[in-house]
């Protein structure tokens, strides 16, 4: 063996190979069946082409098509096949970039006539032909002069620009699939045949070259690709469900909110939507009261000097809104900012009055309205807005209290999610980003504490809570936990956060008097449960598909009359329901009952009580539940008792159970 290297396999075994041994030869040396199934290999966790020599010592894994890591390769290869198909069908079309994205890929094309979805069937047919050819992916390394000439001669001006942007110390890799080739970093699978047939082109969109509106508009074709047809079908079904559940459509149908051009990214809440919002606030407020939080309210507009002290003006300015006096004649020419977050204001409240170690932890909570600039193209209903409400809180504590407080927050977050039906939760620890404030020693200390807390969370959950590390994704002032929940159709949503901050109290000179009568700096924990109340409500609308549990629904019951003879009875039923703490309305309109039921069902009212002359005489109601065609006759007393019990909120039900 001319140049031996030591390779460690997943089973822990260590073997020696020549450094020139390729991934394909490595797989062959293990078994012929593995070599047939292999699509790539991983060296020290980095995916590489099977044709790559191993080169040096390290951990080694052979990647087969059913490995989750192969999915990125499948999508990357499919993007290349899409580009080849387009250029075969429409010669002269320029290809630009085609990256892998979540759940799929896209490719941007330069063509005089933009593509439309009507072009998809012919493109997909050609892609299947290319895959069936099963041409090998092969790699070559070109010098820059050759690459520029080849692509310039092909009329690929965008590729020439990409070549010029690649640093001189990086290889210029060209990947072939048969005769067709593209500039690409790789890696790729062994051949086009390994892609399979589980792909679909999804949509087209316009996209400026390099995201710059001053540059030409390209046509972007989006696609999705999966390991097998079952996965593709499941994904397409999920998209269908997501479309049915779209909170923007349901918001219109349920008359909850709207948006308009004069207020981009800010919500116009209608009466029922605002009631839903307040239901969420009321629930959260009760939870916080039980746990010793103090609700406060900090100003929305503060002088930029405060934001300079906090570090936001330097680190977060591009996402902030500047505020000045609108009039021409003013005696105050200072620059203010709309608050993007509540934390600096809460530090000021903590500082107001002397604090002792006996007072800690101090827990300040706020349902604070904040504003952050989002590009107009990123705005998306309630999910991405410019003005929103944070269920924000800051805990000021000692270092000794830090771990325990993080665990208390964890319990609050998990029980809150469970109350709304979310049981599948991930907790991710995001560590120091490249751009940050504070010393490395402070970060080391904070990350050590958070890592220990994460291990405790996992242990206490008995394996029910999945945990992981997100390197480099922490806030600029400290590491954080991110809580990710899974909804009814399998989508992940990042909502809650817990962030440790040794920096902000120091910047503002916050302190408490320790047991030794000396000034000490508190640790500050930033925590949010919903994150953005607006976004959380959007998630809830889609998770429930508008079919809210009775305790949370903005309008819980409608009493609809069959004839005007029952109007007085219906009004009295509404009064009785309201007296029992239920949100109810009467529908006394001169319309057919089927029309009324259809209309209220579309508005997702959980309970419809139908009353006619007989019900008025007997003191009964006909109960129709949302989503059911069945109808049940009940006495009014029994119906009210049943609904009042069902409408009891989970937190109150827990409290009653504890005191029983």
């Amino acid at each position: 063996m001319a140049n031996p290297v030591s390779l460690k396999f997943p089973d822990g075994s260590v073997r020696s190979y020549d450094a020139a041994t390729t991934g394909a030869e490595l797989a062959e040396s293990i078994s012929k069946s593995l070599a047939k199934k292999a699509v790539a290999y991983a060296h020290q966790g980095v995916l590489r082409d099977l044709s790559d020599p191993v080169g040096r010592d390290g951990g080694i894994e052979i990647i087969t098509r059913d490995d989750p890591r192969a999915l990125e390769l499948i999508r990357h290869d499919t993007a290349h096949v899409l580009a080849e198909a387009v250029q075969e069908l429409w010669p002269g079309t320029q290809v630009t970039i085609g990256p892998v994205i979540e759940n799929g890929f896209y490719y941007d094309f330069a063509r005089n006539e933009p593509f439309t979805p009507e072009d998809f069937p012919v493109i997909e047919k050609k892609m299947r032909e290319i895959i069936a050819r099963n041409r090998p992916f092969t790699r070559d390394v070109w010098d820059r002069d050759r690459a520029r000439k080849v692509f310039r001669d092909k009329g690929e001006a965008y590729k020439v620009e990409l070549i010029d942007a690649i640093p001189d110390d990086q290889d210029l890799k060209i990947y072939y699939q048969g005769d067709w080739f593209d500039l690409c970093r790789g890696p790729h699978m062994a051949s086009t045949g390994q892609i399979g047939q589980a792909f679909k082109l999804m949509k087209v969109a316009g996209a400026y070259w390099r995201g710059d509106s001053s540059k030409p508009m390209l046509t972007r074709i989006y696609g999705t690709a999966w390991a097998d047809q079952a996965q593709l079908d499941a994904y397409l079904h999920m998209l269908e469900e997501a479309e049915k559940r779209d909170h923007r459509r349901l918001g219109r149908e349920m008359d909850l909110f709207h948006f308009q051009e004069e207020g981009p990214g800010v919500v116009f809440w209608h009466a029922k939507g605002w009631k839903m919002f307040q239901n969420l606030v009321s629930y959260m407020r009760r939870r916080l009261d039980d746990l010793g939080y103090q609700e406060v309210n900090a100003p929305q507009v503060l002088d930029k000097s405060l934001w300079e002290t906090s570090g936001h003006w330097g680190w977060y300015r591009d996402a902030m809104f500047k505020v000045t006096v609108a009039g021409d004649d003013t005696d105050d020419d200072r620059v203010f900012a709309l608050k993007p977050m509540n934390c600096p204001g809460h530090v000021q409240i903590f500082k107001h009055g002397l604090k002792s170690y006996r007072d800690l932890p101090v827990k300040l909570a706020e349902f604070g309205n904040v504003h952050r600039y989002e590009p107009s193209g990123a705005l998306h209903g309630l999910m991405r807005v410019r003005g929103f409400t944070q269920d924000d809180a800051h805990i000021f504590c000692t270092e000794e209290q830090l771990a325990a407080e993080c665990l208390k927050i964890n319990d609050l977050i998990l029980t809150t999610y469970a109350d709304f039906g979310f049981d599948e939760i991930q907790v991710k620890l995001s560590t120091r980003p490249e751009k940050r404030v504070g010393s490395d020693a402070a970060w080391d200390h904070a990350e050590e504490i958070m890592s220990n807390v994460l291990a405790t969370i996992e242990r206490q959950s008995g394996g029910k809570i999945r945990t992981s590390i997100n390197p480099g994704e922490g806030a600029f002032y400290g590491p954080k936990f991110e809580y990710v929940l899974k909804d009814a159709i399998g989508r992940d949503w990042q909502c809650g956060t817990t962030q440790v901050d040794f920096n902000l109290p120091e910047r503002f000179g916050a302190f408490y008097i320790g047991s030794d009568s000396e000034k000490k700096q508190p640790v500050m924990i930033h925590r949010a449960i919903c994150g953005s109340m607006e976004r959380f409500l959007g998630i809830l609308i889609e998770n429930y598909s508008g079919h809210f549990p009775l305790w949370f629904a903005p309008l819980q019951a409608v009493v609809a009359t069959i004839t005007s003879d029952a109007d007085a009875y219906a009004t009295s039923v509404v009064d009785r329901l309201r007296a029992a703490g239920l949100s109810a309305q009467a529908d006394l309109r001169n319309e057919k009952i089927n029309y009324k039921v259809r209309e209220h069902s579309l508005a997702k009212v959980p309970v419809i009580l139908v009353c006619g002359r007989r019900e008025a005489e007997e003191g009964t109601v006909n109960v129709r539940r949302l989503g059911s065609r069945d109808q049940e006759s009940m006495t009014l007393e029994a119906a009210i008792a049943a609904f009042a019990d069902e409408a009891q909120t989970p937190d109150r039900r827990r409290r009653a159970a504890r005191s029983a």
Side-chain angles (χ1 to χ4, degrees):
M1 202 178 295
N3 186 11
V5 293
S6 181
L7 301 179
K8 186 176 182 179
F9 289 82
D11 63 359
S13 63
V14 178
R15 306 179 204 173
S16 288
Y17 287 85
D18 192 284
T21 305
T22 65
E25 291 167 341
L26 199 64
E28 182 79 27
S29 74
I30 298 169
S31 78
K32 289 186 178 180
S33 63
L34 180 62
K36 286 180 181 178
K37 292 191 291 184
V39 297
Y41 77 102
H43 186 273
Q44 292 293 89
V46 178
L47 288 180
R48 299 174 68 178
D49 297 324
L50 283 172
S51 59
D52 275 357
V54 292
R56 63 188 187 279
D57 298 342
I60 209 83
E61 294 175 87
I62 303 299
I63 307 298
T64 60
R65 204 172 173 280
D66 56 2
D67 189 301
R69 290 169 290 184
L71 198 52
E72 184 172 344
L73 297 174
I74 292 170
R75 290 167 177 166
H76 187 183
D77 291 5
T78 310
H80 276 238
V81 168
L82 165 63
E84 181 181 359
V86 165
Q87 289 198 317
E88 267 196 42
L89 292 164
W90 293 278
T93 302
Q94 292 190 64
V95 296
T96 62
I97 57 170
V100 173
I101 57 174
E102 186 179 10
N103 296 319
F105 59 90
Y106 69 78
Y107 218 111
D108 288 347
F109 300 95
R111 183 172 176 247
N112 290 333
E113 185 180 347
F115 293 105
T116 70
E118 284 70 38
D119 298 315
F120 288 177
V122 67
I123 297 174
E124 287 180 348
K125 183 181 178 184
K126 180 59 69 174
M127 290 172 69
R128 298 188 193 283
E129 289 177 15
I130 294 169
I131 290 168
R133 294 170 194 165
N134 198 26
R135 298 287 176 80
F137 284 102
T138 58
R139 188 187 65 211
D140 201 358
V141 178
W142 290 359
D143 64 57
R144 276 165 169 68
D145 289 341
R146 179 189 178 188
R148 288 191 191 97
K149 183 177 187 312
V150 169
F151 283 105
R152 192 180 295 115
D153 291 348
K154 286 181 68 181
E156 297 275 8
Y158 293 96
K159 290 293 182 185
V160 175
E161 189 174 331
L162 287 173
I163 291 165
D164 290 337
I166 296 172
D168 291 341
D169 61 345
Q170 290 185 20
D171 287 337
L172 251 175
K173 298 177 184 176
I174 304 294
Y175 276 86
Y176 286 84
Q177 53 206 53
D179 295 328
W180 191 87
F181 57 88
D182 198 3
L183 176 71
C184 182
R185 287 194 295 263
H188 285 272
M189 295 187 292
S191 68
T192 59
Q194 291 180 327
I195 293 171
Q197 299 293 324
F199 68 88
K200 184 176 175 63
L201 301 182
M202 303 298 292
K203 63 179 181 179
V204 293
Y208 291 112
W209 172 236
R210 297 288 186 90
D212 186 340
S213 60
S214 67
K215 294 185 176 178
M217 176 72 76
L218 309 174
T219 299
R220 178 171 294 175
I221 297 180
Y222 288 93
T224 189
W226 298 83
D228 55 48
Q229 190 64 38
Q231 291 181 20
L232 174 61
D233 291 344
Y235 175 69
L236 296 176
H237 177 70
M238 185 273 288
L239 290 182
E240 288 175 13
E241 277 295 306
E243 189 174 351
K244 293 177 191 173
R245 295 164 179 262
D246 191 313
H247 72 282
R248 294 166 298 179
R249 179 176 66 82
L250 290 171
R252 289 192 300 272
E253 293 176 358
M254 297 174 69
D255 191 26
L256 301 177
F257 59 85
H258 82 271
F259 294 87
Q260 62 188 62
E261 186 57 37
E262 291 82 357
V266 291
V267 190
F268 289 78
W269 287 106
H270 300 190
K272 285 203 296 182
W274 192 240
K275 180 67 165 62
M276 179 183 66
F277 187 103
Q278 292 304 322
N279 284 349
L280 180 58
V281 171
S282 297
Y283 165 85
M284 291 304 310
R285 189 169 274 142
R286 290 193 304 272
R287 299 298 313 276
L288 299 182
D289 284 346
D290 286 346
L291 295 169
Y293 284 83
Q294 305 171 47
E295 187 176 341
V296 299
N297 191 264
Q300 288 193 30
V301 178
L302 291 164
D303 190 288
K304 82 176 175 75
S305 62
L306 181 137
W307 302 105
E308 288 172 336
T309 302
S310 72
H312 290 88
W313 199 256
W315 296 96
Y316 207 73
R317 185 178 174 183
D318 289 347
M320 294 174 66
F321 286 94
K322 184 170 67 174
V323 179
T324 56
V325 179
D328 295 328
D329 298 321
T330 176
D331 59 356
D332 193 341
D333 58 357
R334 288 179 297 170
V335 174
F336 300 86
L338 278 177
K339 67 175 178 181
M341 48 194 71
N342 299 312
C343 27
H346 288 190
V347 178
Q348 308 313 306
I349 294 171
F350 175 83
K351 286 174 62 182
H352 198 79
L354 198 62
K355 303 291 189 304
S356 159
Y357 71 96
R358 294 187 182 91
D359 300 317
L360 271 54
V362 173
K363 304 178 182 181
L364 303 181
E366 180 175 358
F367 300 99
N369 193 239
V370 300
H371 289 80
R372 300 177 187 177
Y373 175 73
E374 295 279 359
S376 56
L379 300 176
H380 179 73
L382 299 176
M383 304 305 194
R384 188 66 69 89
V385 291
R386 290 177 177 171
F388 59 96
T389 308
Q390 278 191 309
D391 64 327
D392 216 5
H394 296 92
I395 292 93
F396 298 86
C397 63
T398 67
E399 281 198 41
E400 293 75 22
Q401 295 169 328
L402 176 56
E405 290 303 318
C406 286
L407 289 170
K408 289 176 185 176
I409 292 168
N410 176 70
D411 182 65
L412 172 60
I413 291 175
L414 295 182
T415 53
T416 297
Y417 292 166
D419 284 349
F420 286 98
F422 299 111
D423 296 313
E424 195 171 340
I425 311 296
Q426 296 181 60
V427 184
K428 301 178 180 180
L429 172 57
S430 298
T431 58
R432 70 193 75 187
E434 192 173 323
K435 292 184 177 180
R436 59 184 183 269
V437 294
S439 67
D440 286 347
W443 276 90
D444 289 341
H445 184 53
E447 287 176 356
E448 182 184 9
I449 293 170
M450 297 287 274
S451 295
N452 292 335
V453 171
L454 188 69
T456 304
I457 291 171
E458 186 172 28
R459 186 175 63 255
Q460 290 182 347
S461 77
K464 290 174 65 178
I465 303 297
R466 290 183 292 154
T467 62
S468 60
I469 306 293
N470 253 352
E473 295 297 318
F476 69 87
Y477 50 78
K480 64 179 179 179
F481 290 141
E482 294 183 351
Y483 287 79
V484 180
L485 51 85
K486 192 176 289 291
D487 72 7
I489 58 173
R491 297 173 299 181
D492 289 338
W493 300 97
Q494 193 273 306
C495 292
T497 57
T498 301
Q499 306 176 10
V500 175
D501 188 352
F502 290 89
N503 175 67
L504 206 60
E506 181 183 11
R507 282 176 168 257
F508 282 111
F511 67 90
Y512 67 93
I513 305 300
S515 57
D516 57 0
S517 299
E518 296 293 324
K519 291 182 179 181
K520 296 188 183 299
Q521 183 184 305
V523 181
M524 185 177 180
I525 306 172
H526 308 244
R527 82 96 192 99
I529 300 171
C530 301
S532 157
M533 305 288 276
E534 287 77 3
R535 182 170 175 268
F536 193 71
L537 286 167
I539 294 167
L540 290 178
I541 293 169
E542 296 196 358
N543 182 64
Y544 289 118
S545 196
H547 292 225
F548 294 123
L550 194 62
W551 73 269
F552 188 69
L555 177 61
Q556 295 168 317
V558 167
V559 184
T561 54
I562 301 172
T563 66
S564 59
D565 293 347
D567 285 1
Y569 177 64
T571 302
S572 70
V573 171
V574 169
D575 290 341
R576 293 278 302 278
L577 289 166
R578 289 175 175 174
L582 293 156
S583 171
Q585 292 178 0
D587 186 349
L588 310 180
R589 294 175 299 167
N590 185 25
E591 300 283 358
K592 291 182 178 180
I593 189 61
N594 287 342
Y595 174 84
K596 293 181 181 180
V597 169
R598 251 192 333 268
E599 191 174 69
H600 296 305
S601 297
L602 184 65
K604 304 294 189 291
V605 179
V607 176
I608 303 172
L609 304 179
V610 178
C611 303
R613 184 185 303 164
R614 179 187 296 177
E615 287 75 24
E617 291 171 353
E618 296 176 351
T620 60
V621 287
N622 283 315
V623 181
R624 298 190 182 211
R625 302 301 298 258
L626 181 62
S628 174
R629 294 186 177 182
D630 297 333
Q631 182 172 290
E632 181 184 6
S633 179
M634 299 176 70
T635 66
L636 180 57
E637 286 73 17
I640 290 173
F643 298 141
D645 180 68
E646 185 181 339
Q648 189 175 24
T649 62
D651 59 300
R652 287 169 169 151
R653 196 179 294 279
R654 272 195 306 273
R655 188 185 297 167
R658 286 196 302 267
S659 59

